[in-house]
Amino acid sequence: MTAAQSLDEDFLALADPYRRELLAHCYRMMGSLHDAEDQMQETFIRAWRGYAGYKQQSSLRTWLYRIATNTCLTALQSRSMRPLPSGLGAPDSDPTAELVQRHEVPWLEPIPNTAYDDDASDPATIVTSRESVRLAFIAALQHLPPRQRAVLVLRDVLQWKASEVAAAIDSTTPAVNSLLQRARAQLELAMPTTDTLVEPESPEEKALLERYVTAFENYDVEAIVEIFTKEAVWEMPPFDGWYLGGENIGRLISNNCPAQRAGDMRLLPSWANGQPAFGLYMRGEDGVHRPFQLHVLDVTAGGVAHVVCFFDLGLFEKFGLPQTPPT
């Protein structure tokens, strides 16, 4: 084995354990799993090329995060923010109005827990990680300029010192503190205020999710309405509308859902962004259920407070969901 081959193997062995957390970091910065995967790959390429000159003045983990942060900052120079419909600045929509698709908008994307959690089935792991990858938090980050976004993630999520952040983004400690102050103020404006989420896998959550599945699979609009809180939000990119309150959500579903009777919809459980999620399958004219939407839920003690329905059918494969539900 040559010295170069030995160096390559040494780098891969040391860096690979950080792959999942670096993906989560890139996702917070980019708001897209696809973009995050691209930037993580670029991070590893840059790190591999520079590993021979790595002087161990910081830990390998810190060094990789520096590279990942700057890789994302470079990529964000040519990209627009990734919003949810409720972040476009328009008021809530009339549930009886025509739906409008905006495919030109680079919408926020969900991330499966399995992409960034070493043990995504462990509720304790989900509790620890979910706040920093929740859809509401990622959506709020999109309203920050890239450098503010980087500073807030490094300081408040990763708990880096201001001096470490300054070194990572080639800035000064006073400048980092100023960026952080502005980022926190903007984040407070962008983050919706909701009731406290119930604990993952708790009896309360399980009971509410069972009601959610039953209501949709029975196509019981009245039961669906009762599941939501009074201030619940429903949104479904690439459609640009968003809907406030259980009654309006019920009207929207009544007016637009292609289901006609019980059994037309099937739901399979998953996890996205540390939150419960469901792949929803719609029965076609041939009687076969096929992917239709991916629902990501905020579940509170008072009911479901937020649902984002993603119509990107490619998400089913990314989330390990089958193309047809089991019979």
Side-chain angles (χ1 to χ4, degrees):
M1 180 183 297
T2 66
Q5 289 173 327
S6 177
L7 191 66
D8 290 347
E9 290 192 4
D10 184 41
F11 167 73
L12 291 173
L14 292 172
D16 199 63
Y18 301 108
R19 187 177 294 272
R20 286 177 178 268
E21 61 179 278
L22 286 168
L23 178 64
H25 179 61
C26 292
Y27 173 71
R28 294 183 193 101
M29 291 291 296
M30 306 302 298
S32 156
L33 175 58
H34 179 267
D35 288 350
E37 289 173 334
D38 285 348
Q39 300 318 310
M40 189 185 69
Q41 183 177 5
E42 179 65 21
T43 295
F44 270 70
I45 290 173
R46 292 186 184 186
W48 169 70
R49 288 173 177 168
Y51 185 62
Y54 168 53
K55 302 185 186 305
Q56 300 186 13
Q57 293 175 336
S58 62
S59 69
L60 181 68
R61 179 176 183 268
T62 298
W63 184 65
L64 290 171
Y65 268 99
R66 286 178 180 174
I67 297 173
T69 299
N70 285 286
T71 298
C72 290
L73 287 174
T74 298
L76 287 168
Q77 292 176 0
S78 59
R79 286 171 170 79
S80 302
M81 66 174 283
R82 286 185 172 271
L84 288 174
S86 58
L88 294 178
D92 61 296
S93 305
D94 180 351
T96 63
E98 183 179 356
L99 301 178
V100 177
Q101 297 190 53
R102 297 273 302 277
H103 289 292
E104 76 278 9
V105 176
W107 297 106
L108 188 74
E109 297 175 359
I111 186 172
N113 281 28
T114 52
Y116 64 89
D117 273 351
D118 289 321
D119 185 4
S121 63
D122 179 4
T125 301
I126 295 169
V127 171
T128 301
S129 63
R130 70 172 180 169
E131 291 302 319
S132 68
V133 292
R134 275 187 59 207
L135 272 180
F137 179 66
I138 303 299
L141 286 177
Q142 296 299 301
H143 292 272
L144 303 179
R147 283 174 69 82
Q148 285 188 26
R149 195 182 309 175
V151 167
L152 186 133
V153 169
L154 291 172
R155 288 283 283 121
D156 287 358
V157 175
L158 298 178
Q159 300 295 308
W160 283 24
K161 298 177 182 177
S163 58
E164 294 174 321
V165 178
I169 65 170
D170 193 23
S171 185
T172 65
T173 298
V176 164
N177 289 332
S178 178
L179 286 168
L180 180 62
Q181 185 177 20
R182 295 200 300 271
R184 285 173 174 169
Q186 179 62 37
L187 194 71
E188 187 173 346
L189 293 174
M191 280 285 285
T193 55
T194 60
D195 295 333
T196 303
L197 302 183
V198 298
E199 294 299 316
E201 300 291 336
S202 67
E204 294 81 7
E205 184 184 73
K206 288 181 177 179
L208 192 55
L209 294 180
E210 287 175 4
R211 288 176 57 200
Y212 190 88
V213 170
T214 300
F216 274 89
E217 292 191 341
N218 288 339
Y219 193 39
D220 185 343
V221 176
E222 183 176 341
I224 291 173
V225 170
E226 292 176 352
I227 290 171
F228 288 96
T229 64
K230 291 182 179 180
E231 298 298 318
V233 170
W234 175 284
E235 45 194 333
M236 45 187 193
F239 297 97
D240 64 3
W242 63 281
Y243 306 87
L244 183 63
E247 293 292 339
N248 282 331
I249 293 170
R251 292 190 189 98
L252 174 76
I253 292 172
S254 295
N255 292 331
N256 295 281
C257 182
Q260 297 179 350
R261 59 189 181 277
D264 280 353
M265 292 183 280
R266 292 279 308 279
L267 276 71
L268 293 184
S270 186
W271 284 96
N273 296 73
Q275 302 168 227
F278 292 101
L280 188 151
Y281 298 77
M282 191 69 66
R283 181 159 53 191
E285 293 181 358
D286 58 1
V288 177
H289 287 85
R290 294 184 176 87
F292 184 65
Q293 298 169 330
L294 180 78
H295 291 197
V296 182
L297 286 66
D298 278 351
V299 178
T300 72
V304 176
H306 195 173
V307 174
V308 184
C309 301
F310 294 94
F311 278 85
D312 179 0
L313 301 185
L315 292 172
F316 277 67
E317 182 179 357
K318 291 180 180 179
F319 278 75
L321 292 165
Q323 287 304 298
T324 55
T327 56

